[in-house]
Amino acid sequence: MIGVVGGGIAGLAAAYRLQQRGREVQVFEASEDLGGLAGVYETAGDPIEKFYHHLSKSEETIVDLIEELGLGDRLEWLYMSNAFYVDGVVHPMDKPWEIAAYPHLSLYDKYRLTMLTLEIDVRGWLPSFDTYESLQDFEDVPIKEFLLDHTTRSVYENFWEPLLDAKFGSRKEDVSAAWLLGRVKFRGERDLLRGEILGYLQGGFAPLIGALVDAVGRENITTGARVSDLDTSEERVRSLTVETADGTTTRDVDAAVVAAMPNVLEDLTGYPCEIDFQGTVCSVWSMDESLTDTYWLNLADEAPFGVFIEHTNFVPPKRYGDEHLYYTASYVQDPSEELWRMDDSEVEELWMDGIADLFPQFESESVNWVETARNPRTAPVYERGYLDMVVPYDLSDAVAEGVYYAGMASRAQYPERSLNGAIEAGFAAADRITDDAVTASTTDGHEAVTE
Ligand SMILES: Cc1cc2nc3c(=O)[nH]c(=O)nc-3n(C[C@H](O)[C@H](O)[C@H](O)COP(=O)(O)OP(=O)(O)OC[C@H]3O[C@@H](n4cnc5c(N)ncnc54)[C@H](O)[C@@H]3O)c2cc1C
């Protein structure tokens, strides 16, 4: 049996692929719910993710899996709207004329910004189309230095810096230029006249988790089951220890896939991962009214949260019993930060005041409900030298034979962690297990013939 540690989408994807290849699997999930960071709240209609989620057109593995699991007709590609909030004004930034009208960048700034997003280097006399081809060339280049060189100071201060503040907070200057270029390449399809297209599943991503659970078989998944130890004596994984409400059991395994954050891997195996992770505090607000015309509002202004998302400007409110749903969220770089130390009701009070400051028409009575989720490890800091720190899928050399990794510190979760990356990581670990088994049996067969 192959033991999978973690019932998030990476662990479920690994289990699904292993079963397809004829392997017996058991998934152990510490919490009572499956889906990990893709968990949901109930609403008056469809469930909504606790942390905002959408798909990019460049993500193919998840689309193939959605089709394979029979959910293809639920997948929708919708136009997203995006705006900047500066000095009390919401500036839409999707259509060429909206970008042209944005008053906080000059025409020259917009030209330099557009050229970078089109991956055209215009620093010399002649434009260069291959400067940004190799991300590795920019792995050690600080992002600020890069942006000042490849765009302008005003583009950095008025466009990128607010985005980097929201995404990496106090760690923003540690991030590499390679991450930024990776994100530019990762971005999806755009319609010149209507903006960027993003994907969402009707009913949210809960049906995808549900379909994976059905495919793997509920009898092969245990929730409320924390794996507390991997026995890797004699350089091979032998068993894992599982703690449930009923007690502690030891399960023999042929291999183990750790599909959880790298601190879990370190606790179980001693494998150290140097990647720093950020935490997230994220509230979902249900209101009677719409506050903006925008899905994604970048805040280049004072606000107690890093991002303000009106989800029902992406997916219509009728899907949620006519509730208007919003996210307010902040990344947290250090657990000593005040926001992290606040309890949920303190966060909600602070953020409610923040919403009122941004939108004078907001009335607190229009809030139907608010739920706040937090998790101490939700996103890596994609700092310089990141790729040297990713955890390999196959840990037979580094830890013991039969130990594999599919969590967020794996290569598939670069340059952005995503559901697609988690599925690719799960598949990659499963492929290595089955490939290794094929190699071993081929080698055994060959030896048998030659004996
Ligand atoms: C704010 C935010 C926004 C995001 N936006 C998007 C987006 O727009 N699009 C997108 O595609 N992705 C997005 N993501 C990323 C996406 O949610 C993750 O990449 C993905 O869910 C990670 O899945 P995972 O299975 O690797 O990890 P997790 O979901 O963290 O699952 C790991 C599981 O392991 C369990 N576990 C931990 N320790 C143990 C143990 N010892 N024993 C047993 N179980 C254990 C945990 O309880 C957890 O359920 C976002 C994430 C966040 C936080």
Side-chain angles (χ1 to χ4, degrees):
M1 182 269 281
I2 297 167
V4 177
V5 182
I9 195 158
L12 293 172
Y16 173 68
R17 176 57 62 92
L18 284 163
Q19 273 190 337
Q20 280 183 320
R21 304 263 167 92
R23 308 303 297 267
E24 195 190 322
V25 287
Q26 284 292 322
V27 178
F28 302 99
E29 166 54 48
S31 75
E32 295 302 330
D33 299 314
L34 294 161
L37 292 172
V40 293
Y41 300 121
E42 294 304 323
T43 75
D46 290 342
I48 176 92
E49 286 72 36
K50 294 179 179 176
F51 300 101
Y52 43 92
H53 277 77
H54 53 238
L55 302 181
S56 158
K57 269 275 183 181
S58 63
E59 298 178 304
E60 292 173 359
T61 307
I62 190 167
V63 173
D64 291 347
L65 181 64
I66 286 168
E67 297 282 349
E68 198 174 307
L69 292 170
L71 299 174
D73 55 351
R74 283 180 178 260
L75 180 59
E76 308 179 297
W77 295 101
L78 307 165
Y79 289 100
M80 74 90 94
S81 46
N82 167 53
F84 264 67
Y85 185 104
V86 193
D87 298 336
V89 180
V90 175
H91 299 276
M93 292 284 269
D94 297 304
K95 297 159 186 126
W97 55 91
E98 292 170 346
I99 297 167
Y102 183 59
H104 300 281
L105 291 175
S106 69
L107 203 58
Y108 180 67
D109 291 334
K110 288 171 195 166
Y111 162 71
R112 294 295 299 267
L113 175 60
T114 306
M115 288 300 114
L116 180 63
T117 56
L118 293 174
E119 298 177 65
I120 303 170
D121 179 6
V122 291
R123 287 172 305 158
W125 283 106
L126 286 174
S128 158
F129 295 88
D130 58 8
T131 307
Y132 308 122
E133 237 161 53
S134 163
L135 294 189
Q136 256 162 353
D137 295 350
F138 297 92
E139 206 28 66
D140 292 322
V141 180
I143 193 163
K144 181 174 179 181
E145 185 183 296
F146 170 84
L147 286 169
L148 291 177
D149 184 19
H150 292 252
T151 60
T152 66
R153 178 163 290 278
S154 168
V155 170
Y156 178 74
E157 288 174 354
N158 295 311
F159 185 85
W160 294 111
E161 199 171 21
L163 303 185
L164 293 171
D165 279 332
K167 184 89 184 158
F168 297 109
S170 58
R171 299 296 306 274
K172 69 181 176 205
E173 292 194 13
D174 297 334
V175 175
S176 74
W179 170 79
L180 180 99
L181 290 168
R183 288 288 293 154
V184 168
K185 289 178 196 296
F186 170 89
R187 87 173 177 253
E189 202 172 295
R190 277 192 87 80
D191 180 296
L192 191 62
L193 298 181
R194 298 184 66 184
E196 190 171 352
I197 300 164
L198 297 177
Y200 198 71
L201 276 189
Q202 274 180 33
F205 292 97
L208 175 60
I209 301 294
L212 272 173
V213 170
D214 289 346
V216 171
R218 196 62 184 81
E219 67 282 9
N220 297 316
I221 302 173
T222 316
T223 49
R226 194 175 74 86
V227 176
S228 58
D229 192 30
L230 281 188
D231 176 2
T232 53
S233 53
E234 295 167 43
E235 298 183 359
R236 164 147 207 93
V237 65
R238 312 237 156 231
S239 64
L240 43 79
T241 306
V242 186
E243 291 177 7
T244 63
D246 298 332
T248 302
T249 50
T250 302
R251 305 290 300 268
D252 289 344
V253 291
D254 303 315
V257 179
V258 180
M261 293 297 162
N263 64 306
V264 176
L265 178 71
E266 182 163 4
D267 288 349
L268 294 177
T269 67
Y271 182 92
C273 170
E274 286 170 27
I275 296 171
D276 289 337
F277 276 78
Q278 312 187 87
T280 305
V281 183
C282 183
S283 298
V284 178
W285 304 78
S286 160
M287 297 188 205
D288 290 334
E289 59 183 315
S290 169
L291 289 173
T292 73
D293 295 326
T294 293
Y295 169 53
W296 196 280
L297 189 60
N298 301 295
L299 300 165
D301 213 321
E302 282 297 305
F305 33 77
V307 69
F308 183 85
I309 297 164
E310 188 164 341
H311 176 79
T312 38
N313 282 335
F314 178 49
V315 178
K318 66 175 187 301
R319 296 265 176 83
Y320 305 99
D322 288 325
E323 293 179 22
H324 295 262
L325 299 179
Y326 300 78
Y327 289 99
T328 47
S330 275
Y331 285 105
V332 176
Q333 283 74 42
D334 191 314
S336 67
E337 280 178 40
E338 202 184 341
L339 184 71
W340 190 256
R341 289 189 283 115
M342 288 179 175
D343 66 26
D344 291 353
S345 59
E346 288 171 324
V347 170
E348 289 158 10
E349 199 178 318
L350 175 76
W351 285 1
M352 174 110 84
D353 291 346
I355 297 173
D357 286 345
L358 293 180
F359 305 104
Q361 75 274 30
F362 167 72
E363 287 170 5
S364 56
E365 302 77 55
S366 82
V367 176
N368 302 312
W369 54 263
V370 52
E371 291 280 356
T372 298
R374 59 180 78 214
N375 189 306
R377 288 178 195 81
T378 53
V381 177
Y382 290 109
E383 61 188 302
R384 296 192 292 286
Y386 183 85
L387 288 178
D388 294 335
M389 298 190 276
V390 297
V391 178
Y393 299 114
D394 183 346
L395 288 165
S396 46
D397 289 339
V399 177
E401 216 180 303
V403 180
Y404 296 82
Y405 182 71
M408 205 182 267
S410 51
R411 180 66 176 84
Q413 291 286 37
Y414 180 87
E416 186 57 71
R417 49 89 168 100
S418 62
L419 299 170
N420 187 69
I423 294 165
E424 287 185 354
F427 284 177
D431 289 348
R432 277 159 183 79
I433 293 176
T434 49
D435 290 353
D436 286 353
V438 170
T439 313
S441 66
T442 316
T443 313
D444 288 352
H446 179 69
E447 280 169 2
V449 171
T450 51
E451 264 169 15

